[in-house]
Amino acid sequence: AYKKGTAARGETDVQPPVPLAAISAQKAPAGSETGDAGAGGKLVLFGDSDFAANASFRVSGNADFFMNTIHFLAEEKDLIAIRPKQGLGDRIFLTASQGRLVFLLSVILLPLSIITFGSALFLRRRRRG
């Protein structure tokens, strides 16, 4: 298949999506049309753009990775850094059934048990006189 100019996925190939990023930089040769010996180009390729989407931007250093890539392309090397993490508070991720259980326990069963215990105690003291 490769000799015909086509490609096919082999049995041992990794199934997509494959996390991949590559950087290529090239300098123009001295005496080129631009007149700048240091001129050239930079190219950054990402295998997937989901890391820069709103939903995942602040997860696992995606923001630093994306912003540092932009600063690299803009040749702003002094801006490339790993920024300190901001405390966004603790987050908890629940499945739908876990969310229902938390709701049931905290909003229904706990207040109902307090009301039941308080009512039983009130009636018991009232009967004793």
Side-chain angles (χ1 to χ4, degrees):
Y2 297 112
K3 292 182 182 180
K4 295 179 184 177
T6 60
R9 186 176 304 136
E11 294 176 8
T12 60
D13 289 344
V14 177
Q15 297 295 320
V18 178
L20 176 71
I23 295 177
S24 177
Q26 182 179 8
K27 290 190 176 192
S32 63
E33 296 176 8
T34 61
D36 263 343
K42 292 181 181 181
L43 176 69
V44 178
L45 297 171
F46 295 107
D48 189 4
S49 63
D50 287 341
F51 75 96
N54 285 342
S56 342
F57 193 68
R58 297 189 186 270
V59 177
S60 299
N62 288 342
D64 280 337
F65 182 55
F66 182 71
M67 294 305 295
N68 287 341
T69 302
I70 299 300
H71 296 313
F72 170 77
L73 291 172
E75 297 182 358
E76 296 288 342
K77 293 189 185 342
D78 56 326
L79 296 177
I80 296 175
I82 298 176
R83 289 143 195 90
K85 299 221 181 235
Q86 296 177 352
L88 298 175
D90 293 332
R91 295 182 181 180
I92 185 167
F93 299 98
L94 302 174
T95 63
S97 61
Q98 290 171 335
R100 284 190 296 270
L101 180 64
V102 168
F103 174 79
L104 180 70
L105 288 174
S106 63
V107 176
I108 296 175
L109 291 180
L110 185 61
L112 186 62
S113 66
I114 292 172
I115 290 171
T116 303
F117 180 73
S119 299
L121 189 62
F122 174 76
L123 291 175
R124 183 174 163 200
R125 286 186 178 184
R126 190 172 178 198
R127 286 184 190 152
R128 284 190 176 175

mmCIF file of all heavy atoms in Angstrom, residues 13-23 45-52 60 62 65:
data_model
loop_
_atom_site.group_PDB
_atom_site.id
_atom_site.type_symbol
_atom_site.label_atom_id
_atom_site.label_comp_id
_atom_site.label_asym_id
_atom_site.label_seq_id
_atom_site.Cartn_x
_atom_site.Cartn_y
_atom_site.Cartn_z
ATOM 1 N N ASP A 13 -0.948 -0.285 15.184
ATOM 2 C CA ASP A 13 -0.990 1.177 15.250
ATOM 3 C C ASP A 13 -1.915 1.637 16.371
ATOM 4 O O ASP A 13 -2.915 0.996 16.685
ATOM 5 C CB ASP A 13 -1.471 1.773 13.922
ATOM 6 C CG ASP A 13 -0.431 1.636 12.826
ATOM 7 O OD1 ASP A 13 0.732 1.365 13.158
ATOM 8 O OD2 ASP A 13 -0.797 1.793 11.646
ATOM 9 N N VAL A 14 -1.577 2.777 16.959
ATOM 10 C CA VAL A 14 -2.386 3.365 18.015
ATOM 11 C C VAL A 14 -3.643 3.962 17.399
ATOM 12 O O VAL A 14 -3.581 4.665 16.390
ATOM 13 C CB VAL A 14 -1.581 4.454 18.762
ATOM 14 C CG1 VAL A 14 -2.426 5.129 19.819
ATOM 15 C CG2 VAL A 14 -0.325 3.860 19.374
ATOM 16 N N GLN A 15 -4.778 3.691 18.026
ATOM 17 C CA GLN A 15 -6.045 4.216 17.535
ATOM 18 C C GLN A 15 -6.157 5.705 17.868
ATOM 19 O O GLN A 15 -5.723 6.141 18.927
ATOM 20 C CB GLN A 15 -7.220 3.462 18.176
ATOM 21 C CG GLN A 15 -7.251 1.991 17.822
ATOM 22 C CD GLN A 15 -7.503 1.764 16.338
ATOM 23 O OE1 GLN A 15 -8.294 2.446 15.731
ATOM 24 N NE2 GLN A 15 -6.787 0.815 15.769
ATOM 25 N N PRO A 16 -6.729 6.494 16.971
ATOM 26 C CA PRO A 16 -6.886 7.920 17.248
ATOM 27 C C PRO A 16 -7.943 8.145 18.323
ATOM 28 O O PRO A 16 -8.746 7.265 18.545
ATOM 29 C CB PRO A 16 -7.345 8.499 15.911
ATOM 30 C CG PRO A 16 -7.737 7.359 15.064
ATOM 31 C CD PRO A 16 -7.156 6.125 15.647
ATOM 32 N N PRO A 17 -7.982 9.285 18.971
ATOM 33 C CA PRO A 17 -7.077 10.421 18.828
ATOM 34 C C PRO A 17 -5.744 10.154 19.511
ATOM 35 O O PRO A 17 -5.696 9.559 20.572
ATOM 36 C CB PRO A 17 -7.814 11.564 19.499
ATOM 37 C CG PRO A 17 -8.687 10.912 20.506
ATOM 38 C CD PRO A 17 -9.057 9.569 19.920
ATOM 39 N N VAL A 18 -4.677 10.617 18.905
ATOM 40 C CA VAL A 18 -3.331 10.442 19.436
ATOM 41 C C VAL A 18 -2.830 11.804 19.898
ATOM 42 O O VAL A 18 -2.781 12.747 19.105
ATOM 43 C CB VAL A 18 -2.385 9.876 18.359
ATOM 44 C CG1 VAL A 18 -0.978 9.730 18.900
ATOM 45 C CG2 VAL A 18 -2.901 8.548 17.849
ATOM 46 N N PRO A 19 -2.475 11.956 21.187
ATOM 47 C CA PRO A 19 -1.953 13.244 21.646
ATOM 48 C C PRO A 19 -0.575 13.477 21.045
ATOM 49 O O PRO A 19 0.337 12.680 21.249
ATOM 50 C CB PRO A 19 -1.892 13.096 23.162
ATOM 51 C CG PRO A 19 -1.878 11.636 23.410
ATOM 52 C CD PRO A 19 -2.558 10.979 22.252
ATOM 53 N N LEU A 20 -0.455 14.537 20.290
ATOM 54 C CA LEU A 20 0.785 14.785 19.569
ATOM 55 C C LEU A 20 0.970 16.280 19.396
ATOM 56 O O LEU A 20 0.024 17.008 19.123
ATOM 57 C CB LEU A 20 0.708 14.107 18.189
ATOM 58 C CG LEU A 20 1.856 14.318 17.231
ATOM 59 C CD1 LEU A 20 3.081 13.570 17.723
ATOM 60 C CD2 LEU A 20 1.463 13.843 15.862
ATOM 61 N N ALA A 21 2.187 16.725 19.568
ATOM 62 C CA ALA A 21 2.538 18.120 19.275
ATOM 63 C C ALA A 21 3.939 18.116 18.701
ATOM 64 O O ALA A 21 4.800 17.356 19.138
ATOM 65 C CB ALA A 21 2.476 18.977 20.531
ATOM 66 N N ALA A 22 4.166 18.940 17.699
ATOM 67 C CA ALA A 22 5.485 19.007 17.062
ATOM 68 C C ALA A 22 5.803 20.452 16.719
ATOM 69 O O ALA A 22 4.922 21.226 16.346
ATOM 70 C CB ALA A 22 5.505 18.160 15.799
ATOM 71 N N ILE A 23 7.072 20.799 16.868
ATOM 72 C CA ILE A 23 7.542 22.144 16.541
ATOM 73 C C ILE A 23 8.610 22.023 15.470
ATOM 74 O O ILE A 23 9.483 21.161 15.539
ATOM 75 C CB ILE A 23 8.137 22.845 17.778
ATOM 76 C CG1 ILE A 23 7.065 23.070 18.824
ATOM 77 C CG2 ILE A 23 8.792 24.152 17.394
ATOM 78 C CD1 ILE A 23 7.593 23.681 20.097
ATOM 79 N N LEU A 45 2.474 22.171 15.277
ATOM 80 C CA LEU A 45 1.345 21.317 14.894
ATOM 81 C C LEU A 45 0.841 20.581 16.120
ATOM 82 O O LEU A 45 1.619 20.023 16.887
ATOM 83 C CB LEU A 45 1.775 20.292 13.849
ATOM 84 C CG LEU A 45 2.247 20.843 12.521
ATOM 85 C CD1 LEU A 45 2.840 19.737 11.675
ATOM 86 C CD2 LEU A 45 1.091 21.493 11.798
ATOM 87 N N PHE A 46 -0.473 20.590 16.302
ATOM 88 C CA PHE A 46 -1.107 19.846 17.378
ATOM 89 C C PHE A 46 -1.984 18.777 16.757
ATOM 90 O O PHE A 46 -2.691 19.034 15.784
ATOM 91 C CB PHE A 46 -1.980 20.758 18.252
ATOM 92 C CG PHE A 46 -1.190 21.803 18.989
ATOM 93 C CD1 PHE A 46 -1.241 23.125 18.596
ATOM 94 C CD2 PHE A 46 -0.411 21.462 20.069
ATOM 95 C CE1 PHE A 46 -0.523 24.091 19.271
ATOM 96 C CE2 PHE A 46 0.321 22.416 20.745
ATOM 97 C CZ PHE A 46 0.262 23.734 20.350
ATOM 98 N N GLY A 47 -1.953 17.592 17.313
ATOM 99 C CA GLY A 47 -2.770 16.501 16.806
ATOM 100 C C GLY A 47 -4.230 16.664 17.140
ATOM 101 O O GLY A 47 -5.100 16.050 16.523
ATOM 102 N N ASP A 48 -4.539 17.507 18.121
ATOM 103 C CA ASP A 48 -5.913 17.694 18.553
ATOM 104 C C ASP A 48 -6.012 19.068 19.207
ATOM 105 O O ASP A 48 -5.086 19.493 19.895
ATOM 106 C CB ASP A 48 -6.278 16.601 19.560
ATOM 107 C CG ASP A 48 -7.745 16.573 19.908
ATOM 108 O OD1 ASP A 48 -8.514 17.352 19.318
ATOM 109 O OD2 ASP A 48 -8.130 15.782 20.773
ATOM 110 N N SER A 49 -7.096 19.755 18.992
ATOM 111 C CA SER A 49 -7.232 21.101 19.547
ATOM 112 C C SER A 49 -8.125 21.149 20.787
ATOM 113 O O SER A 49 -8.369 22.224 21.318
ATOM 114 C CB SER A 49 -7.816 22.037 18.486
ATOM 115 O OG SER A 49 -9.117 21.609 18.125
ATOM 116 N N ASP A 50 -8.573 20.014 21.282
ATOM 117 C CA ASP A 50 -9.466 20.001 22.442
ATOM 118 C C ASP A 50 -8.822 20.589 23.694
ATOM 119 O O ASP A 50 -9.511 21.126 24.558
ATOM 120 C CB ASP A 50 -9.948 18.586 22.750
ATOM 121 C CG ASP A 50 -10.965 18.091 21.747
ATOM 122 O OD1 ASP A 50 -11.554 18.940 21.045
ATOM 123 O OD2 ASP A 50 -11.172 16.868 21.669
ATOM 124 N N PHE A 51 -7.509 20.488 23.820
ATOM 125 C CA PHE A 51 -6.840 21.005 25.018
ATOM 126 C C PHE A 51 -7.001 22.514 25.143
ATOM 127 O O PHE A 51 -6.921 23.061 26.237
ATOM 128 C CB PHE A 51 -5.356 20.619 25.016
ATOM 129 C CG PHE A 51 -4.525 21.423 24.068
ATOM 130 C CD1 PHE A 51 -3.834 22.523 24.511
ATOM 131 C CD2 PHE A 51 -4.444 21.086 22.725
ATOM 132 C CE1 PHE A 51 -3.062 23.270 23.642
ATOM 133 C CE2 PHE A 51 -3.677 21.815 21.857
ATOM 134 C CZ PHE A 51 -2.987 22.918 22.309
ATOM 135 N N ALA A 52 -7.236 23.209 24.021
ATOM 136 C CA ALA A 52 -7.375 24.665 24.051
ATOM 137 C C ALA A 52 -8.837 25.098 24.075
ATOM 138 O O ALA A 52 -9.120 26.285 24.061
ATOM 139 C CB ALA A 52 -6.678 25.278 22.847
ATOM 140 N N SER A 60 -5.043 20.345 33.786
ATOM 141 C CA SER A 60 -3.752 19.675 33.577
ATOM 142 C C SER A 60 -2.707 20.529 32.865
ATOM 143 O O SER A 60 -1.925 20.012 32.075
ATOM 144 C CB SER A 60 -3.956 18.390 32.780
ATOM 145 O OG SER A 60 -4.778 17.505 33.473
ATOM 146 N N ASN A 62 -3.072 22.745 30.515
ATOM 147 C CA ASN A 62 -3.352 23.047 29.113
ATOM 148 C C ASN A 62 -3.175 24.528 28.809
ATOM 149 O O ASN A 62 -2.696 24.894 27.733
ATOM 150 C CB ASN A 62 -4.764 22.608 28.736
ATOM 151 C CG ASN A 62 -4.892 21.110 28.655
ATOM 152 O OD1 ASN A 62 -3.912 20.395 28.557
ATOM 153 N ND2 ASN A 62 -6.122 20.634 28.708
ATOM 154 N N PHE A 65 0.512 25.291 28.486
ATOM 155 C CA PHE A 65 1.023 24.694 27.260
ATOM 156 C C PHE A 65 0.653 25.544 26.047
ATOM 157 O O PHE A 65 1.497 25.867 25.210
ATOM 158 C CB PHE A 65 0.469 23.276 27.113
ATOM 159 C CG PHE A 65 0.964 22.533 25.910
ATOM 160 C CD1 PHE A 65 2.309 22.376 25.675
ATOM 161 C CD2 PHE A 65 0.074 21.986 25.011
ATOM 162 C CE1 PHE A 65 2.769 21.682 24.574
ATOM 163 C CE2 PHE A 65 0.515 21.294 23.901
ATOM 164 C CZ PHE A 65 1.867 21.142 23.683
#
